[in-house]
């Protein structure tokens, strides 16, 4: 699942539930809706990128690739149609609340821009040859690196960020029976730059200074003040800020790819832009007393991941880009987004260095059967300096972000000087909105319920709870060994202690009638704001646990089985055991992306009716073994440079999956040491990365290697991960049976190629369904040495007999491939999987259909 969509599923419910309670039914005032098509008066061809605006106002739009447009107004006035190469045309529109459909024909005239000439023949069919707009864009692309700030040894600037999220289209109605309780919300209605009526629900402000040095390259941010108002107060601030920063990434339109909403879009200023986009010269205007030409652009295929919009380029030898406006194409294959646009303004230093002064982005989200959510982010920059910073030690700080606001809360007067643009009256009243809402009982109930859903924990006290009960969604589950299972637990917060954290749970299975549980004590060497999992973790933890786990999968007990997947199991659960272990763990995370984990445990594994330990004796006979014990030290090193993530109370989700993630671990145990029954050395190495191919989609690549260096029972060897259900698992084998293969050295790969509709978007009828192609190739290549194979070992004493359906890999790898379609009804995915090797094994699936739910933009 996309981490951004995880955020929407997790915290979007807060927006949607609050908005649902406030859902109106009748409009405040009626607007006059105006739409239509603009054509060439002679050829009757539709004209893209015609400027349509109300005279002496900033209300307007441009026509799309089909020449159509739509806008709304509450005031009468002259509507102007303007396009370079054609005479302007205007008509008077009376704002009487009626819907109007117009068909406008523009008359052609030749127009000259210095040496740029646009004639009527250029309008009939797009051509790269003799296209002055394309020639000008090529000049901008050729010169983009020469004017970049990155060429300078140092620079710094002040940055002000404002993020607003709101209920979109709030003017759609009144509250009916709830009007008496929620009528005050009408006092908080605001209007966006594009004329949307919204109800601001949350406001985030951050004022900072950015510093950068080129050699060695380091970027530091000093936060002077930050402020969160509205329902934003209910959410975990650091995690939400990280998600918003990824959600609304700082956009560099001069890069080849523009990353937004966890997708890569081709920039109109990329090196491949002339092949991906069409460019048209539209008109001229002055920006900061500089004469500029407006160059409109659109992808050749509007379903592809690109933009429509305008580039405003100076008509001189500098080829300076003064302004850029981007929109999503109407037919783009993107989910849950009704519209998105962003604007950037540029100034230029005396030496020609390009300076970004404004970066504004707005997104209107649309999820069926839910209130519409609107979000916008403004980044404003000023006070650029290119001198060597006075505070040079700042670049030696390990943390790239220095938060001065943690020790000093900015006053209202200080905020007035820190803001580059003032707040609207409604934005300044966002905190008052929450105060008024909390006086309504139904809202207070909803707020508490949503907090439980988003945190997965229930606080025992409304404010500053020292102990939270949970995880809520693990309280009830089921599995084959335990049957129906109940679990109850919780953990402390910083209200109990800022450095000492306690957690634990008790569980009971109604089939095996055994109680289970876990308890842990963690000491954090860092101050925590609220929870022990906050980054960076530097802690020492001791624990004791008795629970169910699967052979080769110690994480199984962390959720106590999965009730949903057990209902759709395609094979018997033959690898469940009981485990009792106590341990001590040291974990240290660094801002560089490096982390270290040292873990020592004493663990006893118990056989079950599902997994029986059959041990060979010195005479070659086999007898049942109830349990065996291991004392193991495991060292793990993880490196993920520049990783950004969302941290929930239990899990961490990488947001920017383009970063490489490397994990190396080694486990060691010594026979006889602290009660260990075997000597074991096991090394594991994994590497994962997402690789983008611009508009050709992307590949998620995972490579894992395992090596067991000595003789041990099969339960300590390498057992490949298997998906036992009919649901797709991108890091498991979908047609392999549990414990079908056992190795003491292996390499596994998992490749999944998401084509983002590269082919299906070009098929006339099918492209309307906005389906996307998915292909995967997974494999395992390994072997089992003679010493670890009880059927081949000279002396199998101490080894366990393999299950009857277990095999070893021969001279060929295990492989499976799949082809599928995702984005079915926006969320579903269907794959057909083929097993390419070892199809002769008895009872295995040679092929089959697998299903998945894939939330992604």
């Amino acid at each position: 699942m996309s981490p951004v969509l995880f955020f929407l599923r997790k915290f979007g419910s807060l927006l949607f539930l609050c908005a649902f309670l406030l859902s109106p039914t009748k409009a405040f005032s009626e607007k006059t809706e105006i739409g239509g098509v603009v054509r060439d008066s002679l050829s009757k061809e539709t004209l893209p990128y015609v400027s349509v605006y109300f005279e002496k106002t900033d209300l307007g739009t441009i026509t799309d690739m089909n020449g159509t447009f739509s806008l709304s107004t509450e005031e009468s006035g002259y509507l102007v149609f303007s396009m370079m190469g054609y005479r302007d045309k205007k008509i008077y529109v009376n704002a009487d609340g009626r819907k109007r459909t117009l068909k406008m024909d523009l008359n052609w005239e030749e127009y000259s821009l210095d040496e740029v000439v646009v004639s009527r023949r250029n309008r009939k069919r797009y051509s790269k040859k003799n296209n002055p707009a394309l020639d000008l864009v090529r000049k901008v692309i050729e010169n983009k690196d020469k004017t970049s700030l990155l060429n300078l040894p140092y620079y710094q600037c002040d940055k002000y960020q404002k993020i607003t999220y709101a209920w979109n289209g709030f003017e759609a109605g009144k509250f009916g029976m709830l009007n008496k309780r929620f009528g005050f919300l009408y006092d908080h209605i605001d209007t966006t730059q594009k004329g949307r009526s919204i109800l601001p629900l949350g406001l985030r402000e951050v004022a900072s200074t950015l510093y950068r040095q080129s050699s060695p390259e380091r970027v530091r941010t000093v936060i002077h003040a930050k402020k969160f108002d509205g329902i934003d107060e209910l959410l975990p601030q650091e995690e939400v800020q990280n998600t918003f920063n990824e959600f609304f990434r700082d956009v560099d339109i001069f890069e080849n790819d523009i990353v937004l909403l966890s997708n890569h879009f081709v920039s109109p200023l990329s090196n491949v832009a002339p092949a991906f986009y069409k460019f048209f010269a539209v008109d001229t205007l002055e920006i900061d007393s500089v004469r500029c030409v407006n160059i409109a652009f659109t992808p050749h295929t509007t379903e592809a991941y690109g933009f429509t919009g305008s580039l405003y380029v100076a008509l001189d030898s500098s080829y300076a880009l003064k302004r850029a406006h981007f929109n999503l194409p109407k037919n783009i294959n993107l989910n849950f987004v009704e519209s998105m646009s962003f604007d950037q303004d540029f100034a230029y230093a005396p030496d020609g260095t390009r300076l970004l002064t404004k970066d504004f982005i707005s997104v209107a989200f649309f999820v069926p059967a839910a209130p519409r959510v609107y979000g916008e982010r403004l980044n404003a920059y000023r006070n650029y300096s290119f001198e060597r910073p006075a505070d040079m030690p700042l670049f030696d700080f390990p943390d790239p972000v220095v938060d001065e606001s943690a020790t000093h809360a900015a006053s209202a007067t200080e905020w007035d000087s820190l803001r580059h643009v003032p707040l609207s009256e409604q934005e300044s009243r966002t905190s008052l909105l929450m105060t008024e809402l909390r006086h309504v009982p139904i809202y207070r109930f909803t707020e508490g319920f949503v907090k439980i859903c988003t945190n997965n924990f229930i606080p025992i006290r409304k404010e500053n709870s020292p102990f939270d009960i949970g995880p809520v969604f693990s309280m009830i589950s089921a599995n084959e060994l335990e049957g129906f299972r109940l679990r109850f637990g919780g953990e402390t917060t910083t209200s109990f202690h800022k450095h000492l954290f306690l957690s634990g749970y008790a569980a009971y299975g109604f089939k095996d009638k055994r109680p289970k549980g876990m308890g842990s004590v963690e000491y954090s060497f860092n101050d925590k704001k609220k929870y022990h999992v906050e980054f960076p973790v530097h802690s020492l933890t001791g624990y004791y646990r008795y629970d169910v786990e699967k052979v080769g999968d110690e994480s199984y007990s962390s959720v106590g089985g999965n009730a949903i997947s057990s209902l759709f199991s395609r094979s018997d659960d033959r690898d469940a055991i009981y485990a009792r272990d106590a341990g001590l763990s040291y974990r240290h995370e660094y801002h560089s992306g490096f982390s270290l984990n040292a873990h020592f445990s004493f663990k006893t594994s118990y056989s079950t009716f599902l997994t029986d330990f059959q041990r060979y004796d010195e005479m070659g006979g086999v007898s049942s073994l109830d349990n065996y014990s291991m004392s193991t030290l495991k060292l793990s090193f993880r490196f993920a440079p520049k990783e950004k993530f969302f941290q929930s109370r239990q899990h961490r989700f990488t947001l920017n999956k383009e970063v490489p993630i490397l994990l190396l671990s080694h486990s060691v145990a010594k026979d006889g040491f602290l009660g260990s029954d075997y000597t074991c050395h096991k090394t594991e190495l994994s590497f994962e990365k997402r690789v983008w191919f611009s508009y050709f989609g992307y590949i998620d690549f995972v490579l894992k290697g395992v090596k067991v260096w000595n003789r041990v029972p099969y339960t300590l060897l390498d057992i490949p991960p298997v998906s036992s259900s009919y649901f797709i698992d991108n890091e498991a084998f979908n047609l392999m049976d549990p414990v079908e293969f056992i190795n003491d050295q292996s390499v596994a790969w998992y490749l999944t190629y998401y084509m983002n509709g590269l082919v299906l978007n070009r098929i006339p009828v099918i492209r309307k369904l906005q389906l996307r192609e998915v292909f995967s190739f997974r494999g395992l290549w390994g072997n089992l040495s003679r010493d670890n194979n009880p059927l081949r070992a000279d002396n199998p004493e101490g080894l366990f007999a393999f299950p009857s359906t277990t095999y070893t890999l021969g001279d060929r790898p295990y492989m499976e491939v799949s082809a599928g379609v995702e984005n079915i009804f926006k969320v579903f995915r269907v794959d057909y999987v083929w097993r390419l090797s070892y199809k002769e094994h008895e009872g295995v699936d040679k092929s089959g259909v697998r299903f998945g739910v894939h939330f992604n933009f």
Side-chain angles (χ1 to χ4, degrees):
M1 180 191 300
S2 165
V4 175
L5 261 296
F6 169 81
F7 172 79
L8 282 180
R9 292 181 67 196
K10 191 173 182 65
F11 296 117
S13 58
L14 181 59
L15 301 176
F16 295 152
L17 279 175
C18 293
F20 176 77
L21 289 176
L22 313 177
S23 182
T25 59
K26 187 177 179 181
F28 280 100
S29 60
E30 296 186 54
K31 290 187 177 182
T32 299
E33 301 291 336
I34 306 166
V37 63
V38 183
R39 307 181 304 177
D40 184 295
S41 61
L42 296 179
S43 68
K44 303 304 179 183
E45 293 179 355
T46 58
L47 299 177
Y49 305 112
V50 177
S51 297
V52 184
Y53 60 93
F54 278 92
E55 193 174 48
K56 299 180 181 180
T57 73
D58 59 359
L59 177 60
T61 185
I62 60 174
T63 59
D64 61 18
M65 276 296 295
N66 300 315
T68 61
F69 71 96
S70 64
L71 49 79
S72 60
T73 181
E74 295 178 348
E75 298 182 3
S76 303
Y78 282 98
L79 188 62
V80 180
F81 298 82
S82 177
M83 185 175 190
M84 185 177 175
Y86 291 85
R87 298 189 184 98
D88 287 357
K89 193 169 186 176
K90 62 182 180 180
I91 63 169
Y92 185 79
V93 175
N94 183 25
D96 54 8
R98 293 187 299 169
K99 186 174 182 179
R100 285 179 169 79
T101 302
L102 305 176
K103 185 179 292 184
M104 304 301 300
D105 292 339
L106 300 187
N107 297 316
W108 171 84
E109 69 177 5
E110 190 171 293
Y111 194 85
S112 173
L113 299 176
D114 293 345
E115 296 181 359
V116 180
V117 178
V118 180
S119 64
R120 179 183 165 199
R121 68 175 182 272
N122 297 109
R123 297 293 171 188
K124 292 185 177 180
R125 178 173 295 179
Y126 180 79
S127 174
K128 294 181 183 179
K129 294 182 179 180
N130 301 319
N131 184 339
L134 178 57
D135 294 340
L136 195 56
V137 170
R138 283 190 171 123
K139 290 292 185 181
V140 176
I141 295 173
E142 290 174 7
N143 288 273
K144 64 181 181 179
D145 293 335
K146 299 177 183 178
T147 59
S148 173
L149 269 172
L150 303 182
N151 297 328
L152 304 176
Y154 301 99
Y155 79 80
Q156 70 182 64
C157 64
D158 293 334
K159 176 183 177 181
Y160 168 71
Q161 181 181 85
K162 181 181 69 173
I163 296 176
T164 303
Y165 41 98
W167 180 4
N168 187 20
F170 186 75
E171 81 290 0
K174 291 185 178 180
F175 292 102
M177 295 177 62
L178 297 177
N179 195 51
K180 290 183 180 180
R181 295 183 180 272
F182 291 102
F184 63 86
L185 293 174
Y186 295 117
D187 297 331
H188 296 272
I189 293 177
D190 201 357
T191 303
T192 69
Q193 296 181 11
K194 299 184 180 297
R196 296 178 183 271
S197 294
I198 61 173
L199 177 67
L201 297 176
L203 175 69
R204 306 177 69 85
E205 294 183 277
V206 179
S208 60
T209 300
L210 305 182
Y211 299 86
R212 182 187 182 274
Q213 74 173 17
S214 59
S215 182
E217 182 178 4
R218 288 177 181 170
V219 179
R220 296 293 183 265
T221 300
V222 178
I223 297 177
H224 306 299
K226 58 185 179 183
K227 189 177 182 182
F228 312 127
D229 285 327
I231 64 171
D232 209 12
E233 304 167 17
L234 311 180
L235 309 178
Q237 298 302 332
E238 299 301 325
E239 287 75 13
V240 172
Q241 185 64 43
N242 287 339
T243 304
F244 274 132
N245 289 342
E246 179 65 18
F247 206 66
F248 296 127
R249 279 196 190 184
D250 292 345
V251 173
D252 185 353
I253 63 175
F254 293 88
E255 293 286 342
N256 287 332
D257 287 347
I258 294 174
V259 183
L260 285 170
L261 306 178
S262 297
N263 282 289
H264 283 223
F265 300 84
V266 180
S267 170
L269 295 176
S270 73
N271 296 329
V272 299
F276 186 83
Y277 285 96
K278 299 178 183 179
F279 295 94
F280 307 89
V282 178
D283 56 14
T284 61
L285 72 164
E286 284 193 358
I287 301 177
D288 298 332
S289 302
V290 177
R291 193 69 174 168
C292 299
V293 58
N294 175 4
I295 299 177
F297 58 87
T298 182
H300 285 279
T301 303
T302 56
E303 291 84 3
Y305 280 69
F307 298 96
T308 63
S310 296
L311 302 172
Y312 298 88
V313 182
L315 282 172
D316 55 33
S317 59
S318 68
Y319 306 109
L321 181 66
K322 295 289 292 180
R323 180 175 297 164
H325 173 73
F326 291 64
N327 292 299
L328 283 182
K330 180 180 179 181
N331 299 321
I332 191 170
N333 191 343
L334 197 66
N335 295 328
F336 313 116
V337 178
E338 182 181 3
S339 64
M340 181 176 74
S341 65
F342 66 89
D343 300 86
Q344 291 190 347
D345 289 348
F346 300 91
Y348 287 82
D351 64 352
T353 299
R354 182 176 66 249
L355 310 176
L356 178 63
T357 58
K358 186 187 81 169
D359 180 11
F360 176 82
I361 181 171
S362 64
V363 185
F365 298 99
F366 174 76
V367 178
R372 292 184 297 168
V373 175
Y374 171 82
E376 65 179 34
R377 185 222 59 198
L378 169 68
N379 284 341
Y381 303 85
R382 66 185 180 189
N383 299 332
Y384 277 92
S385 173
F386 313 117
E387 303 297 327
R388 176 186 171 94
D391 189 12
M392 282 300 293
L394 174 70
F395 292 112
D396 297 327
F397 288 4
D399 191 345
V401 178
V402 179
D403 191 355
E404 294 180 348
S405 68
T407 57
H408 171 71
S411 65
T413 303
E414 290 174 309
W415 268 113
D416 289 338
S417 63
L418 291 171
R419 291 187 182 103
H420 296 201
V421 293
L423 297 179
S424 68
E425 180 181 354
Q426 286 74 12
E427 287 175 332
S428 62
R429 288 160 50 87
T430 306
S431 58
L432 177 61
L433 169 66
M434 293 304 299
T435 301
E436 294 177 307
L437 277 173
R438 285 171 180 153
H439 282 93
V440 181
I442 191 173
Y443 175 80
R444 291 200 303 271
F445 172 80
T446 302
E447 182 179 282
F449 176 74
V450 170
K451 278 185 176 181
I452 293 173
C453 293
T454 55
N455 291 326
N456 203 12
F457 281 82
I458 304 173
I460 63 171
R461 196 165 64 198
K462 186 175 181 180
E463 299 293 336
N464 301 318
S465 172
F467 184 81
D468 291 350
I469 299 170
V472 175
F473 300 116
S474 294
M475 290 182 174
I476 300 175
S477 60
N479 59 73
E480 189 170 347
L481 183 60
E482 297 177 281
F484 183 72
R485 169 185 168 115
L486 293 178
R487 167 174 157 163
F488 183 84
E491 59 184 35
T492 62
T493 70
T494 52
S495 296
F496 173 79
H497 199 283
K498 288 191 174 182
H499 293 274
L500 188 65
F501 297 90
L502 310 178
S503 65
Y505 66 83
Y508 184 79
F510 287 84
K511 182 178 179 179
D512 64 353
K513 294 181 170 47
R514 290 194 183 191
K516 297 97 180 174
M518 187 276 292
S520 73
V521 179
E522 177 178 346
Y523 180 81
S524 173
F525 298 97
N526 298 334
D527 285 339
K528 297 296 183 178
K529 297 177 181 177
K530 195 167 185 180
Y531 307 118
H532 66 100
V533 294
E534 294 166 358
F535 179 86
V537 175
H538 184 198
S539 65
L540 184 66
T541 304
Y543 72 94
Y544 175 82
R545 175 183 68 106
Y546 174 70
D547 209 334
V548 174
E549 71 177 38
K550 290 188 176 183
V551 174
D553 184 10
E554 297 179 359
S555 65
Y556 180 78
S557 62
S558 65
V559 295
N562 189 311
I564 296 178
S565 65
S566 64
L567 298 177
F568 299 95
S569 177
R570 64 180 179 86
S571 59
D572 295 333
D573 192 356
R574 299 191 296 262
D575 51 353
I577 60 174
Y578 295 110
R580 187 188 306 275
D581 62 323
L584 191 65
S585 179
Y586 173 78
R587 184 178 176 188
H588 195 176
E589 296 179 331
Y590 298 84
H591 291 283
S592 62
F594 177 79
S595 62
L596 164 69
N597 189 24
H599 178 91
F600 176 79
S601 67
F602 176 78
K603 176 179 176 182
T604 302
S605 299
Y606 298 88
S607 64
T608 67
F609 72 92
L610 295 171
T611 304
D612 187 17
F613 301 150
Q614 295 290 319
R615 183 177 180 176
Y616 285 92
D617 57 29
E618 59 183 3
M619 303 299 296
V622 177
S623 59
S624 293
L625 181 69
D626 179 67
N627 65 78
Y628 68 93
S629 299
M630 297 293 294
S631 294
T632 306
L633 175 64
K634 183 176 182 179
L635 297 177
S636 300
F637 305 91
R638 186 178 186 272
F639 185 56
K642 299 182 179 180
E643 181 186 24
K644 300 175 184 177
F645 48 80
F646 179 90
Q647 176 71 65
S648 71
R649 285 288 294 271
Q650 294 176 280
H651 304 287
R652 184 174 292 180
F653 298 86
T654 301
L655 295 174
N656 54 334
K657 292 190 175 182
E658 299 84 1
V659 302
I661 300 176
L662 183 68
L663 177 64
L664 173 64
S665 66
H666 183 77
S667 302
V668 58
K670 177 66 175 175
D671 183 15
F673 180 72
L674 296 179
S676 185
D677 291 329
Y678 295 94
T679 296
C680 180
H681 290 270
K682 185 176 183 179
T683 304
E684 299 172 82
L685 177 67
S686 70
F687 175 82
E688 60 182 281
K689 191 180 189 313
R690 174 169 291 178
V691 181
W692 280 89
F693 302 105
S694 192
Y695 57 89
F696 294 104
Y698 62 92
I699 286 180
D700 281 342
F701 173 76
V702 180
L703 183 66
K704 296 183 178 181
V706 180
K707 171 68 175 178
V708 179
W709 300 89
N710 55 292
R711 176 186 173 101
V712 291
Y714 81 86
T715 54
L716 301 177
L717 294 174
D718 171 37
I719 300 176
V722 172
S723 175
S724 298
S725 71
Y726 290 97
F727 291 101
I728 298 167
D729 188 339
N730 286 329
E731 292 189 28
F733 297 102
N734 291 299
L735 294 177
M736 186 186 291
D737 281 348
V739 202
E740 182 180 351
F741 293 99
I742 293 177
N743 315 281
D744 55 17
Q745 58 181 359
S746 69
V747 175
W749 62 90
Y750 310 90
L751 301 178
T752 306
Y753 178 26
Y754 299 88
M755 294 181 66
N756 280 345
L758 182 65
V759 176
L760 297 178
N761 283 343
R762 287 163 171 76
I763 303 175
V765 177
I766 295 180
R767 67 184 181 187
K768 293 184 178 180
L769 300 176
Q770 295 191 329
L771 303 176
R772 302 172 186 172
E773 316 87 342
V774 185
F775 298 93
S776 69
F777 175 45
R778 303 181 183 117
L780 175 73
W781 203 332
N783 60 50
L784 183 66
S785 64
R786 186 184 187 92
D787 283 346
N788 277 317
N789 188 338
L791 302 178
R792 298 181 58 200
D794 295 332
N795 180 12
E797 181 184 359
L799 298 181
F800 291 176
F802 288 169
S804 60
T805 56
T806 294
Y807 303 85
T808 59
L809 289 169
D811 56 357
R812 55 198 169 113
Y814 172 87
M815 296 178 293
E816 60 184 45
V817 296
S818 68
V821 176
E822 64 170 350
N823 214 42
I824 302 170
F825 302 116
K826 306 297 184 184
V827 296
F828 297 110
R829 170 179 165 186
V830 177
D831 283 13
Y832 196 85
V833 191
W834 292 270
R835 181 170 173 142
L836 301 183
S837 57
Y838 298 97
K839 294 187 287 185
E840 69 277 8
H841 287 180
E842 183 179 354
V844 300
D845 293 332
K846 298 179 177 63
S847 63
V849 179
R850 296 293 180 266
F851 305 93
V853 179
H854 189 191
F855 290 88
N856 205 347
F857 288 108

